[in-house]
Amino acid sequence: MPEPYSQEDAVAPAGAGGRIELATTDTGTVESPPAPAPPPDGPAAKPRGLWADAWHELRRNPVFVVSALMIVFLVLIAIWPRLITDGNPLTCDLARSQQGSAPGHPFGFDTQGCDVYTRTVYGARASVTVGVCATAGAALLGSLLGGLAGFFGGWTDSLFSRVADVFFGIPIILGGLVFLSVVTSDTVWPVVGFIVLLGWPQISRIARGSVITAKQNDYVQAARALGAGNLRMLLRHVAPNAVAPVIVVAMIALGTYIALEATLSFLGVGLRPPTVSWGIDISNAAPQIRNAPHMLLWPAGALSITVLAFIMLGDAVRDALDPKLR
């Protein structure tokens, strides 16, 4: 005789509609699997972009922090030198010529009896002005010409590349001696114009290569297939993704341009008195290095620290923007 059907049997018979129902038991219920845990950063977390990720890396880089603080201090004293000195760099006393450190004059005096500390502080203004303006001009001109050459290619690329080769062939010191020796202006603008004239080809080559790489990406090809014009593709898709190498090279070049201005002023063709410049002070102190080494030590030290700060900043930004170098 068959055993009676119990409630513990697993499956109930299919009904007329073909539906199969699971039978419940007295001892348990059917439970759904647990929901997956949310990610550590929360369900709304989004991946960081290139610039956000670079800033995240820079904040943790001590080289960037130190160099950025040095540059901020340099810019502040270039704009407001009276924050740390109340002297006049053009006020001199021949009776104190080449004297060493004295109360209120920690760096001593130069050949004309001018306060070396005050002139060192005011010398930052000319150097920063030349460096920033020359870098901005060279970066804009080089990015424009190099970007157009790389984007359009063909005869445009050939024309701009050959023009850049011509300027690359000019020795920068010899060119400065020839170009600036015929200029009689006492302002910083002839020096800025000369540096831009010979500095844009380097940035142009970087911009050209970066644009050629960026325009081959799939999103640029997709924009072209959807009917986007050349101007829209260049400004919206290519330029934002090709500007990082240009920024890195420009930051490093800024320190180089400051050193170049000091070199040209040292040779007598850069900035001229009464402009206060580290290069001019180094040139005046060089013949007296044995009798008064302090005249050369302080402006040369300020120049070296400034150039080093900008080079360190450029290296830190380069490492942050290029994941392969981390």
Side-chain angles (χ1 to χ4, degrees):
M1 184 174 180
E3 297 181 0
Y5 187 80
S6 64
Q7 217 176 18
E8 281 75 7
D9 289 327
V11 181
R19 184 167 57 112
I20 300 177
E21 298 179 354
L22 293 179
T24 59
T25 63
D26 295 337
T27 58
T29 59
V30 178
E31 298 181 356
S32 60
D41 295 336
K46 296 181 179 179
R48 291 190 296 263
L50 173 64
W51 298 104
D53 186 58
W55 175 242
H56 178 74
E57 293 293 331
L58 287 174
R59 288 182 300 175
R60 301 188 300 175
N61 189 345
V63 174
F64 170 79
V65 175
V66 172
S67 59
L69 290 177
M70 294 168 58
I71 292 172
V72 168
F73 175 73
L74 177 70
V75 172
L76 284 177
I77 65 173
I79 298 175
W80 298 293
R82 292 198 173 273
L83 288 174
I84 58 175
T85 180
D86 56 357
N88 189 335
L90 301 179
T91 300
C92 307
D93 184 5
L94 283 175
R96 313 188 78 170
S97 175
Q98 298 186 14
Q99 291 184 6
S101 177
H105 307 279
F107 294 174
F109 299 87
D110 63 6
T111 304
Q112 301 297 324
C114 303
D115 184 20
V116 176
Y117 172 75
T118 303
R119 290 187 64 86
T120 302
V121 172
Y122 274 83
R125 174 175 295 176
S127 297
V128 170
T129 302
V130 170
V132 171
C133 294
T135 302
L140 290 176
L141 182 59
S143 299
L144 177 62
L145 298 182
L148 293 177
F151 184 78
F152 291 104
W155 68 267
T156 305
D157 188 11
S158 300
L159 175 62
F160 288 156
S161 297
R162 298 296 78 78
V163 172
D165 290 340
V166 171
F167 284 95
F168 262 120
I170 302 176
I172 193 164
I173 299 298
L174 179 60
L177 291 174
V178 174
F179 179 81
L180 295 175
S181 61
V182 299
V183 178
T184 59
S185 175
D186 295 333
T187 64
V188 301
W189 303 117
V191 179
V192 171
F194 167 75
I195 295 176
V196 171
L197 184 64
L198 294 188
W200 72 266
Q202 178 188 12
I203 298 180
S204 174
R205 286 193 171 183
I206 300 298
R208 173 182 175 274
S210 184
V211 167
I212 290 176
T213 302
K215 76 175 185 178
Q216 296 175 353
N217 292 327
D218 293 338
Y219 55 84
V220 177
Q221 302 301 326
R224 187 187 301 274
L226 293 174
N230 289 331
L231 182 62
R232 179 180 178 84
M233 285 191 298
L234 184 60
L235 297 180
R236 293 291 300 274
H237 302 289
V238 176
N241 294 281
V243 72
V246 176
I247 293 177
V248 172
V249 173
M251 285 187 177
I252 298 176
L254 201 157
T256 305
Y257 294 159
I258 291 176
L260 177 60
E261 176 273 318
T263 302
L264 295 174
S265 299
F266 178 84
L267 296 175
V269 296
L271 302 181
R272 296 178 173 86
T275 304
V276 181
S277 167
W278 291 332
I280 295 175
D281 290 349
I282 293 172
S283 178
N284 295 334
Q288 308 296 331
I289 187 172
R290 292 186 177 181
N291 300 326
H294 65 275
M295 293 171 49
L296 178 64
L297 175 64
W298 297 111
L303 174 64
S304 301
I305 292 174
T306 301
V307 174
L308 178 63
F310 280 105
I311 292 177
M312 290 169 54
L313 182 68
D315 288 341
V317 174
R318 179 197 59 190
D319 296 342
L321 291 175
D322 190 351
K324 298 178 182 179
L325 299 177
R326 296 176 189 169

